[in-house]
Amino acid sequence: MSRTAALSLCSFLLCSLWIGTQWGSTSKARGEEEGGQQLRYPPNKIAIIGAGIGGTSAAFFLRQKFGRDVQIDIFERGEVGGRLATVNLEGLEYEAGGSIIHPLNLHMKNFVKDLGLSVCQSQTSLTGIYNGEEFVFEESEWFIINIIKLIWKYGFNFLRMYMWVEDIMDKFMRIYRYQSFEYSFSTVESLLHAIGGNDFTHKINCTIDEIMQRAGFSQKFIHEIVTPAMRVNYGQNAKINGFVGAVSLAGTDSGLWAVEGGNKRVCSGLLYSSKAQFILGTVFSIEEKTRPRRTGSTLKLFEVSYQTASGTLSNLYDIIVIATPLDNGMSGINFLNFNPPIETFHKHYQHIVSTFIHGCINASFFGWQEPPAFSLSGILTTENSKLFVNSIGAVSPVKVEGNGTVEQAASHRIWKVFSPKSLTEEQLRLLFVSYDSVSERKWLAYPQYNPPEKCPPIILHDRMYYINAIERAASAMEMSAIAAKNVALLAHHHWYGKVDRIDQEDLHEKLKSEL
C-alpha cells in the first residue's frame, strides 16, 4: 500500500469515527439513556406555565443553564407579570400588586441591571398606626423625636427588632452564594435549613407572635408595631409563620425601591431576554406520554393541552415547570395518567382588595383634630374587628413624564387602600370628605399562613417542578426569583446526573473551607 493510500485510508477511518460519534450524539439528542447512564444531551423542549415573576425568572435561568438551542415555551392565560400589575387611574399607572423591593434582593437588582431598567426609590413619608379609636404612634419629621417616642413607648424593642431582622437577613444572603456555586435543593425545607439551619425550619412552624415573645419582645410592641406590618404586607395578623413574618418586617427597612414604569417590566424583560416563546392560552391538562424509540426502549414526555383563541392545541415537552399556584384548583390544570398521582394541595390564598381613590381623606374619622392639617401619608392599623381596612397610603404613579413629579394638592391625593372586602359607598364616605375617582383591584395575593406549615414538593414528578412551593414559607418577588433559579439548577442537575450539587449538607462551612 502506498503512503498516499495509507493516508487516505487513515483519513477515511477518522472521518467515519467522527461521523459515527456525531450520529450517536444526534440519536441521543432527546436525552436517551444508554446502559443506565444519566441523560447527557440537552432537552428539546421545556414548558413553563405562568408568566409572573417566578415563570419569567425560570425562563431566564433555564436559558442560562441549558443553552440557546433548547425551545422554551411559556404559557400565560392573563397578562405577563401575574401578580405584578398596575392599575390606571386618571391616565396614570399605579402599582396594584407587589410594589416594593428590598435593597438586598440581589436577583431583582441583577435583573434590573441586566435588562437596563431604571429604578425609583420609595418616597419617605410620615406614617401613623391607628387602633380603631386613636393613633397609638405617629411619626415626626424629626428623627430624634421618633427615637425618643419609640423608646418612651416600647423601650428598646424597636432597636432589638432591627438587629433581629438584620441577623435573619445575614443568614438569608447565603442563598445567593450557594446558587452562584450552582447548589440546589429538592425541598423548601432543605433550602431553608441550608441557609438558616434549624432556626429557619423552626420559624415556618411557629407564629411570628410566639417567636418574638420568646425572643423577649413585649406583647404591646407586637400588637402595635409588628401586627400592622403583617396587615399591610400580607393582610393577616401576627399568627402567620415566623419566617414570612421576618420577611414582612424586612419590608419596613429603609432603601426600599421599585422599577420605574412598574415592577411588571422585569417580567416582560426576562421573557424577552430568555427568547422564550410566549403562548397566550389556558393550560387545562398535563399528561405523561410514552413514546417508543428506534432502539426498542421508551421515552417519557409530557403532553401539555391548552386553549387559545384559535382553539385547543397540545405540545410535547421534556421538562415541565409550573409557576402558578396549584392550591384548590386555582390553576385549572388536570394531571392525567401519572403514577403515582400528582399531589393535591388545599391551601387557601388570602383575598385582598386594593382600592385606589383620588380624594381628600377625612382626618376626623381617625380622630385627627384640625388644625393642624393632616400630615400623614400612611396609616397602618392594629388588629380590631371594627376596622374595615388594613392600611391606607398615598401613592405616586410608576412613571411620570416631564420633570418626574406629579403635582397633587395636599388635600386631594391618590390613596391606595388595602381591605379584606370591597369598600362600600358608606365606607368610602367615612374615609374621604370627597373623592373624584375610584378604581378597584381584587387579588388572591398570597397564601393564608397558619403554622405549622407543610410546604408542597418542589419536585412534583420526574422532570416536573413547582416554583410556587416556596410561597408556603414566604411570598415575595425575590422569593419567587430564588425558587426559579433553584428549579433551573435542579432541572439541569437532574438532567445531567449532577447529584453532588443537590441537597448538600453544611454548605456554609464547606464553601468557607473551599475558599
Side-chain angles (χ1 to χ4, degrees), residues 40-51:
R40 298 298 178 190
Y41 296 91
N44 275 357
K45 297 174 70 176
I46 300 175
I48 301 171
I49 300 160

Side-chain angles (χ1 to χ4, degrees), residues 472-485:
R472 196 70 61 86
S475 178
M477 283 179 268
E478 187 71 5
M479 293 298 291
S480 292
I482 287 169
K485 182 154 191 179

Side-chain angles (χ1 to χ4, degrees), residues 113-173:
K113 180 181 177 181
D114 292 344
L115 299 172
L117 300 174
S118 299
V119 304
C120 49
Q121 296 298 318
S122 178
Q123 295 184 345
T124 57
S125 59
L126 300 182
T127 299
I129 298 175
Y130 182 67
N131 69 0
E133 297 177 359
E134 62 180 353
F135 282 99
V136 296
F137 183 80
E138 295 175 36
E139 273 192 303
S140 166
E141 294 181 351
W142 298 91
F143 177 76
I144 189 65
I145 293 178
N146 288 329
I147 295 297
I148 293 170
K149 289 168 70 175
L150 286 167
I151 293 175
W152 178 261
K153 287 183 68 69
Y154 307 110
F156 289 97
N157 277 262
F158 214 94
L159 177 61
R160 291 182 58 243
M161 184 189 78
Y162 276 104
M163 294 174 64
W164 184 75
V165 172
E166 186 177 0
D167 178 65
I168 292 171
M169 290 299 295
D170 186 55
K171 293 175 182 175
F172 182 83
M173 297 298 288

